[in-house]
Amino acid sequence: MTDRPSTVAETAEQLTPEWLTAALRSSGALADGAVTEVDAKPLGTGQMCDSVRLTLSYSGGAGPETMVAKLPASDPTSRTTAINLGSYVKEVSFYTDVASTLGVRTPAVHYADLSEDGGTFILLLQDMAPAEQGDQLTGCTPEVAALAIPELVGLHAPRWGDASLKTYPWLYSDPEQSKAGGLMLFPMLWEGFQERYDAQLTDAVRTAGTALFGNLEAYLTPTDDPLTVVHGDFRLDNLLIDEDAGTMAVVDWQTVALGRGLTDVAYFIGAGLLPDDRRAHEESLVRAYHEALTATGVDYSWERCWEAYRFGTFAGLVMAVAASMLVERTERGDAMFMAMASRHAQHVLDLEAIDLLTR
């Protein structure tokens, strides 16, 4: 292996043949020869990062023909938010520090680098084509939702209740500090969210939002539920789905954290399925998750699982409110956040989750 590139590429233009040759040689993804040509095409709809698919040509050797490069967001608002939240540090560290200890399907890493201040990063990832990104706006079928259950169990079960995860500063946040920060920030975001989207808010969003942001102390108070690695934004736009193969890969780890596994489950089901499909299939999906989780040896009762799932319905509403106010505003982003807010709020009401905040 050779020395790593002297710079952290932060734009597609900086992914030159020379830079890629040095990067791939240093990681062992390219044993001999050099990259001679690079074709970069924008990929995906992410707002915290930019992604491009690279098609490479080589001389005197062979490496991956295609790969996906993840880079800092070109939009300054989104990039500042990502830096302040430690999003780039989280994603790179997930792949380098813990991904190999989990059972969730993720792209292989061809190269990873991060600047010392966490403001610039580069990931060269396995191209998962023909798998395609899910679409948060249209939702998915119950059959596609079922493909996510093994990935959720593969993410949560291996490190369930693992206290050693608290040694990773990028993963673990002091719960009291997080609570104090949330109590200051979330009410302001909720106020701005209501002002910006007033004409589009459903009664369900107003009811669930008023209950949630009026009872933040209860929502943010840590529980004694076992903690594990959670994605934090486990939704269709962050899943690469190959229905023909019956497989799914999980990407976009900027929100990875220690948390309750059922929060990911509720977040995914609440946003991914349209309300009628969710009502018809959610219990069977959660039972499938619970059965697979306990089959790995995790001791977790169904009653506790279902209550944590109900509590997890609030997470999507928090994300819709916070993310919409903190990242670049786009037409698709607005449509996505409104869909998320509406579906998650109805989920809260359907499962009477407000009772968990006010009991």
Side-chain angles (χ1 to χ4, degrees), residues 77-136:
T77 299
S78 297
R79 184 167 183 173
T80 298
T81 296
I83 292 171
N84 289 340
L85 295 176
S87 301
Y88 301 151
V89 175
K90 285 175 177 285
E91 178 148 41
V92 173
S93 299
F94 168 80
Y95 281 111
T96 59
D97 293 356
V98 303
S100 64
T101 71
L102 305 174
V104 63
R105 190 165 183 253
T106 63
V109 179
H110 297 309
Y111 181 78
D113 202 4
L114 177 73
S115 64
E116 289 188 10
D117 64 1
T120 298
F121 82 104
I122 176 69
L123 281 167
L124 300 180
L125 301 173
Q126 174 190 4
D127 186 354
M128 302 300 288
E132 296 182 350
Q133 180 185 29
D135 188 334
Q136 192 67 39

Side-chain angles (χ1 to χ4, degrees), residues 153 156-157 160 262 288-300 305:
V153 174
H156 300 152
W160 188 274
L262 271 296
Y289 171 88
H290 179 254
E291 290 171 7
L293 180 73
T294 55
T296 69
V298 171
D299 182 13
Y300 199 59
C305 176

Side-chain angles (χ1 to χ4, degrees), residues 1 42 52 78 155 163 165 189 242:
M1 296 185 187
V52 293
S78 297
L155 170 61
L165 291 170
L189 296 177
D242 187 340

Side-chain angles (χ1 to χ4, degrees), residues 92-352:
V92 173
S93 299
F94 168 80
Y95 281 111
T96 59
D97 293 356
V98 303
S100 64
T101 71
L102 305 174
V104 63
R105 190 165 183 253
T106 63
V109 179
H110 297 309
Y111 181 78
D113 202 4
L114 177 73
S115 64
E116 289 188 10
D117 64 1
T120 298
F121 82 104
I122 176 69
L123 281 167
L124 300 180
L125 301 173
Q126 174 190 4
D127 186 354
M128 302 300 288
E132 296 182 350
Q133 180 185 29
D135 188 334
Q136 192 67 39
L137 289 174
T138 60
C140 70
T141 65
E143 291 74 22
V144 169
L147 296 179
I149 299 303
E151 303 310 326
L152 286 160
V153 174
L155 170 61
H156 300 152
R159 308 295 295 267
W160 188 274
D162 185 347
S164 70
L165 291 170
K166 293 182 179 180
T167 62
Y168 293 111
W170 57 267
L171 184 66
Y172 175 70
S173 299
D174 178 81
E176 291 304 322
Q177 289 184 359
S178 297
K179 177 180 175 180
L183 289 172
M184 286 194 304
L185 179 62
F186 290 144
M188 293 186 292
L189 296 177
W190 171 237
E191 182 178 356
F193 180 84
Q194 292 177 91
E195 291 175 359
R196 177 186 291 181
Y197 299 110
D198 180 63
Q200 302 172 61
L201 298 185
T202 64
D203 290 342
V205 172
R206 295 183 193 279
T207 299
T210 298
L212 170 60
F213 294 102
N215 291 277
L216 274 176
E217 181 83 23
Y219 178 71
L220 295 172
T221 297
T223 72
D224 62 354
D225 227 35
L227 301 181
T228 188
V229 180
V230 296
H231 185 282
D233 196 18
F234 198 106
R235 56 185 175 85
L236 288 169
D237 281 7
N238 294 333
L239 302 175
L240 301 177
I241 303 161
D242 187 340
E243 290 191 64
D244 291 337
T247 60
M248 178 181 289
V250 187
V251 295
D252 292 349
W253 295 90
Q254 300 103 1
T255 52
V256 66
L258 275 186
R260 302 170 85 180
L262 271 296
T263 300
D264 274 346
V265 181
Y267 185 90
F268 169 70
I269 293 175
L273 291 174
L274 299 182
D276 286 346
D277 278 340
R278 173 182 53 75
R279 295 181 186 113
H281 296 279
E282 70 179 322
E283 183 173 341
S284 64
L285 289 167
V286 180
R287 284 192 179 275
Y289 171 88
H290 179 254
E291 290 171 7
L293 180 73
T294 55
T296 69
V298 171
D299 182 13
Y300 199 59
S301 72
W302 166 250
E303 291 74 21
R304 197 172 182 184
C305 176
W306 185 251
E307 180 170 302
Y309 175 77
R310 290 173 61 209
F311 195 86
T313 58
F314 290 107
L317 186 55
V318 171
M319 179 65 80
V321 170
S324 65
M325 302 306 294
L326 293 173
V327 301
E328 177 190 12
R329 189 176 183 185
T330 65
E331 184 176 348
R332 187 185 188 278
D334 278 354
M336 181 184 71
F337 293 131
M338 287 300 96
M340 289 176 65
S342 176
R343 292 174 197 172
H344 288 300
Q346 191 59 56
H347 201 188
V348 167
L349 300 183
D350 285 351
L351 297 189
E352 300 180 342

